[in-house]
Amino acid sequence: MVPGLSKMKNLYILYIITVLNLIKSETVFVPDQFGTIQEAIDFSSDSDSIIVSAGVYFEQINFQGKSIVVSSRYQIDNDTLLIGLTVIDAGNIGSVVTFKNQEDDQSILQGFTLQNGNGNYEDPDDNGTYYNYGGGVYCKDSGPAIKNCIIKDNSGNEGGGGGVFCYNSSPKFFECTISNNSTKFIYW
């Protein structure tokens, strides 16, 4: 056997697998292809990207354990003003964004304003008591990446985490602004 041939063969196989994964990933657009962000998430598979045009989206989204990127157009258009113009508004019905299916840092949310969430009615520690947690972001058993987001005007009045609630989680925040969120006793 030629020295180093086995290593080259393994690198070649890894390269082919990477290229095939990139080829099978898909990019979908909201609202052009899907009326809501959640419909696009439901359709998507791991490695897909969802690009959301500026506007106000009255909904709550759940990543459902998928390793996907959900992004506004701010990075594509090189315009940070789009972060404030691409809004997910929960309408005071639950958390704006939910990560509770062991999402990791390949589950990426970027470039949105998250507002008017009042928390998911949950029992995160399974002790039999339910309260509203995580108005802006509810995170249980997960470690997603949240980038360039504004998390504002949310509440978690019973359980806590007006802007962000984490239980057994390690989300990573990059260049986010978290302000004017409230809980029953703590304001942040």
Side-chain angles (χ1 to χ4, degrees), residues 166-187:
C166 299
Y167 183 83
N168 197 31
S169 297
S170 298
K172 295 169 184 70
F173 290 89
F174 303 92
E175 299 183 38
C176 292
T177 301
I178 303 172
S179 65
N180 202 37
N181 299 288
S182 64
T183 65
K184 194 170 188 175
F185 301 108
I186 301 169
Y187 292 88

Side-chain angles (χ1 to χ4, degrees), residues 65-179:
K66 296 181 180 182
S67 295
I68 56 175
V69 175
V70 178
S71 179
S72 71
R73 293 188 56 89
Y74 89 98
Q75 222 172 17
I76 294 169
D77 295 341
N78 196 28
D79 185 356
T80 56
L81 292 176
L82 290 172
I83 296 168
L85 298 173
T86 313
V87 178
I88 306 174
D89 187 314
N92 291 312
I93 303 171
S95 299
V96 181
V97 181
T98 298
F99 299 98
K100 66 176 186 177
N101 295 290
Q102 300 181 0
E103 290 88 352
D104 61 18
D105 61 1
Q106 298 303 301
S107 299
I108 300 170
L109 178 72
Q110 62 183 14
F112 290 94
T113 295
L114 311 176
Q115 67 184 30
N116 295 327
N118 67 358
N120 288 342
Y121 190 66
E122 299 272 352
D123 177 17
D125 57 2
D126 299 318
N127 70 359
T129 58
Y130 287 79
Y131 297 103
N132 286 37
Y133 295 92
V137 177
Y138 178 87
C139 197
K140 178 184 177 189
D141 299 324
S142 298
I146 301 169
K147 303 177 179 182
N148 301 97
C149 286
I150 299 167
I151 303 169
K152 67 173 191 161
D153 301 330
N154 300 288
S155 65
N157 285 337
E158 296 170 345
V164 178
F165 175 81
C166 299
Y167 183 83
N168 197 31
S169 297
S170 298
K172 295 169 184 70
F173 290 89
F174 303 92
E175 299 183 38
C176 292
T177 301
I178 303 172
S179 65

